[in-house]
Amino acid sequence: MGKILEFIEKDGDGKYSCYKTKKFCLDGTDPDTLDYDDRPAQELKSGKFAETDLSRVETVNIGLKINRLASFPLFSYFLDGSRHVYKVDDIAIGNRIFPFLAGQIIVGCCQRRDRDEFKKCELTRKVVIALPINFNYDGDKEDDFCRNYCEKLNSVISSNRFVRDIQLRIDKMLLYKTDGGKDSSQDKNSFKNSGTAKIQTEMTDEEQFMVRSLCRQNLLDNEHYLIKDGSIEYYPSSSNMSKAEWTQMRSNYKHVVGVSKMFNPDLLKDFRGRKLSKTIAALRPFERTKAYRYLALDGACEFAIWYVRLRKSNFRETNFSDVVKCEMLLEEPGASIDTDLVNVISANIIREAYPVCYGKDSRWANHLYPVFLTESFCKSNYISQDIILNLF
């Protein structure tokens, strides 16, 4: 295949040196130190309700609501994003050495039309590279530099017939910040995390583009909701989009519920001002907490957040094993979600937990089966790691 590293050295005319170090996938060898799900909330003395029922109770039993649900589920669409990050080399720029990262991003959405039809709705697959901002040696406008350099790289790799046949290309170059660093191993780890965060952000941006696509096709409404696997708390400061573009995206989330399998139980306080973790741990099957108001630390958005125990189980690893965190974006500051809607959403989420994927995924206890299928669909569309690494 066309060798990207050789081209970079030749095209750079002495500005860059590539060391041809071992190439490997960071996901399997380096635990992810970046927490993308729960982020700090603004400190409040006590939790404020985000639902219309202001009853000062700790939990709500929705078992009866499950029996009264409509025959067809509320959720018709399921979205998941996944990425792999690869260390492809170390690159010297001036007298400093930085990690050269590549990423493969998959964002997929599946649709359930009826009881017997569950199929692909949309799929986005991208290959990106992440280099230090110093790589833009001449200080050109970043967007123009990245776009033009990608065109050069794609011209190099397209000389290989196999690459052309599978329509493989570098979709985007991302430049990560290197401010305040010295040439030390500690800083190399921070550079690696900065590059990984850039790739992660590109994935979450693609998730938002996909939600926008569904809305533009008028696929989401009061009878057709979307479950997004994971948090829907996106920050403009951690987006590769412009702030104006990001702000417009938030209008697409009226019929979207974020469901997280992994969460920080100490994120919120209850109406008494106590950490909510004890209430979450004590949830009985088919119970939920009250929905609480969550104001992101940067004040960009308000969310309604509540927790639901999905099933009866006598074999929990922890008291949080079969609990999921649910999020909905509040359309405007101070708004609340109708309590009956919170109950209907919670009951439908419980229904999505059956059948179980026991034995197929270690997180089966708090997995929703259609989300498990969507995750599997996304992962099945990865290009072989060997093919990606051989580009370099």
Side-chain angles (χ1 to χ4, degrees), residues 261 317 321 357-367 372:
K261 295 182 283 291
E317 291 185 13
S321 294
C357 57
Y358 181 78
K360 301 292 185 181
D361 194 299
S362 59
R363 305 161 297 170
W364 69 270
N366 51 13
H367 236 312
F372 165 73

Side-chain angles (χ1 to χ4, degrees), residues 203-304:
M203 184 197 78
T204 57
D205 284 352
E206 288 297 333
E207 291 175 347
Q208 294 181 80
F209 289 136
M210 191 165 287
V211 173
R212 182 181 67 182
S213 173
L214 297 174
C215 288
R216 287 178 172 178
Q217 297 174 66
N218 297 315
L219 297 177
L220 303 181
D221 55 39
N222 291 335
E223 296 180 350
H224 301 87
Y225 272 66
L226 165 73
I227 285 181
K228 188 266 171 180
D229 186 28
S231 177
I232 57 173
E233 183 188 354
Y234 303 118
Y235 283 172
S237 58
S238 59
S239 171
N240 296 331
M241 292 183 275
S242 68
K243 188 169 183 178
E245 189 176 19
W246 182 91
T247 301
Q248 293 175 353
M249 287 289 189
R250 309 312 286 156
S251 64
N252 300 320
Y253 280 75
K254 181 177 181 180
H255 301 104
V256 179
V257 182
V259 180
S260 299
K261 295 182 283 291
M262 303 295 292
F263 54 84
N264 174 13
D266 287 324
L267 180 68
L268 300 175
K269 293 182 178 180
D270 66 13
F271 58 85
R272 297 187 181 92
R274 302 182 305 197
K275 292 289 187 182
L276 199 59
S277 53
K278 187 175 180 180
T279 301
I280 298 171
L283 282 172
R284 296 179 179 180
F286 314 140
E287 276 190 341
R288 69 169 177 89
T289 66
K290 294 284 287 188
Y292 288 95
R293 195 173 302 276
Y294 171 95
L295 180 61
L297 194 60
D298 65 355
C301 296
E302 275 193 321
F303 298 85

Side-chain angles (χ1 to χ4, degrees), residues 37-49:
D37 222 16
D38 285 338
R39 309 194 188 194
Q42 291 196 12
E43 187 66 24
L44 299 173
K45 291 183 178 179
S46 61
K48 296 183 178 180
F49 294 130

Side-chain angles (χ1 to χ4, degrees), residues 367-387:
H367 236 312
L368 308 182
Y369 195 70
V371 171
F372 165 73
L373 294 178
T374 304
E375 282 188 1
S376 301
F377 161 67
C378 290
K379 291 175 181 177
S380 71
N381 279 278
Y382 274 117
I383 297 171
S384 167
Q385 171 180 305
D386 291 339
I387 293 175

